[in-house]
Amino acid sequence: MAGRADSELLEDLLAREQRLLSAYEAALRRDAIEASLGETLRAHEREHVRALEGTLARAGRRNPRASVPSPDLTAALGDRDTFARYAMELEDTTVARYADAAANIRNPALRRPLGSIMACGSAHVVALKDALGIFLVN
Amino acid sequence: MAPSLTRREALGGAAAALVLASCGGGDPPPATGPRPGSGAALLGSLLALERASFAAYGACLEVLRGEARAQVHAMRAQERGHAAGLERLITDLGGDPPPGRSAEEYQRTFPRLRTPADALRFTQDLEERQVRAYLEALTDLPDAELRRAAAGICGDEANHLATARVLQGLPAAEGPFVTGAL
């Protein structure tokens, strides 16, 4: 991972953010998340996507193509608890990728902002845990 | 206390600033061993902050009850683990972890916490400062392994910050970028 170019790290993060955004959009459409929570999380993911796209554009890179919704997402939309657990896992995985990217990215000016998105992802996990009524501290 | 301060600024912000000034920045960096620019001094500052937070949460636990107490108790245990991890990193760099302070010395720098609401506001403010410190460390630490360790702890502190907010009835995240944007 350390040898990968910065733009590849950012593209990977963008793909993950797009997946999260798609998940919250689908959950809101299917009432698989409480509306206020879902709208907040979706709004944050939109901002993350916009920021990563802008950073990639400034580096002269094209955005990766959106992927097809996974069968796991479709299965997770059946009820709110199932979706919250699915989203928690997605957020957790994304937080870990941000931690890795913030440590390895070569441009030091990008480390702090990537860390700040990571911190937001950690907060999303707490929000989803709260929705599930489970212990909040990791 | 200036009348223009909000209650939170007066209690949390000023108090946490006092804690950090007296327990964080005031602690000496590792005295000998690590080469200049190794990151050991910065890790020493983060360690001092972790120790101060550990002590502060001890004071918070005295006024918290039930669910909030259980959550802050778990945060406190994690802060102890973070401190131990930072001590190891400093030692690995050839340094000596700074000695820290006694519980009584820390206690003198804390605000008087009268209610659970006071304790949770203080917790939130301490965690905001910890998240900010670790994000700054991501920029300044010279080695990817050290940055990875800092990022991992930062994720935990962000979890604590969000928890403190939720316990006060606030949204877990204040916005899409916790302390900085791309």
Side-chain angles (χ1 to χ4, degrees):
Chain A
M1 192 101 179
R4 292 172 64 188
D6 285 2
S7 53
E8 288 179 52
L9 288 172
L10 295 172
E11 284 169 356
D12 175 64
L13 296 174
L14 177 56
R16 289 171 186 279
E17 292 287 0
Q18 287 170 332
R19 196 170 161 201
L20 278 163
L21 177 57
S22 298
Y24 291 126
E25 285 173 341
L28 282 164
R29 280 197 304 272
R30 297 276 295 270
D31 196 32
I33 191 168
E34 189 270 320
S36 171
L37 174 60
E39 286 164 6
T40 298
L41 301 183
R42 179 181 62 181
H44 289 175
E45 303 305 349
R46 277 186 180 149
E47 288 301 312
H48 299 165
V49 166
R50 196 192 323 264
L52 290 165
E53 285 178 344
T55 304
L56 280 165
R58 285 192 292 279
R61 301 282 292 211
R62 286 178 12 176
N63 296 327
R65 296 173 63 178
S67 58
V68 177
S70 76
D72 289 349
L73 171 59
T74 307
L77 292 170
D79 65 81
R80 290 183 175 187
D81 278 10
T82 305
F83 177 75
R85 290 181 193 284
Y86 169 84
M88 253 176 53
E89 191 175 328
L90 215 52
E91 293 275 12
D92 262 335
T93 310
T94 304
V95 164
R97 297 303 277 248
Y98 271 103
D100 212 33
N104 286 305
I105 202 153
R106 290 176 187 165
N107 182 350
L110 294 177
R111 290 179 195 146
R112 180 177 176 143
L114 291 180
S116 83
I117 300 178
M118 175 192 74
C120 182
S122 288
H124 287 186
V125 173
V126 170
L128 292 161
K129 284 181 173 180
D130 188 43
L132 283 164
I134 61 180
F135 200 73
L136 303 178
V137 175
N138 286 337
Chain B
M1 189 176 293
S4 61
L5 288 178
T6 64
R7 180 171 165 74
R8 172 154 184 247
E9 286 166 340
L11 177 66
L18 179 62
V19 168
L20 300 192
S22 62
C23 305
D27 282 354
T32 57
R35 62 176 172 75
S38 68
L42 176 51
L43 295 174
S45 297
L46 295 171
L47 173 59
L49 180 50
E50 292 283 0
R51 287 172 173 162
S53 297
F54 178 82
Y57 293 152
C60 291
L61 291 175
E62 291 178 13
V63 296
L64 291 171
R65 296 289 178 270
E67 175 68 12
R69 190 177 194 284
Q71 301 283 355
V72 172
H73 189 271
M75 288 183 204
R76 189 172 188 244
Q78 286 194 347
E79 308 300 15
R80 187 201 293 270
H82 297 159
L86 290 167
E87 286 171 5
R88 280 193 298 275
L89 290 174
I90 292 168
T91 303
D92 290 348
L93 289 169
D96 295 318
R101 298 180 179 212
S102 69
E104 292 72 25
E105 285 176 304
Y106 283 122
Q107 188 73 39
R108 280 199 293 272
T109 68
F110 299 153
R112 183 157 181 202
L113 303 173
R114 293 181 176 85
T115 66
D118 290 346
L120 291 174
R121 276 193 293 269
F122 189 40
T123 299
Q124 180 184 342
D125 208 74
L126 285 167
E127 291 296 343
E128 282 173 355
R129 286 162 191 274
Q130 289 210 83
V131 168
R132 198 172 301 125
Y134 279 101
L135 290 178
E136 286 170 7
L138 282 176
T139 302
D140 295 336
L141 285 170
D143 178 80
E145 284 304 315
L146 296 179
R147 291 195 295 272
R148 188 170 294 111
I153 298 176
C154 186
D156 285 344
E157 305 302 356
N159 167 275
H160 298 177
L161 172 57
T163 297
R165 289 178 57 83
V166 167
L167 290 171
Q168 295 172 90
L170 299 169
E174 195 168 14
F177 304 98
V178 173
T179 61
L182 279 170

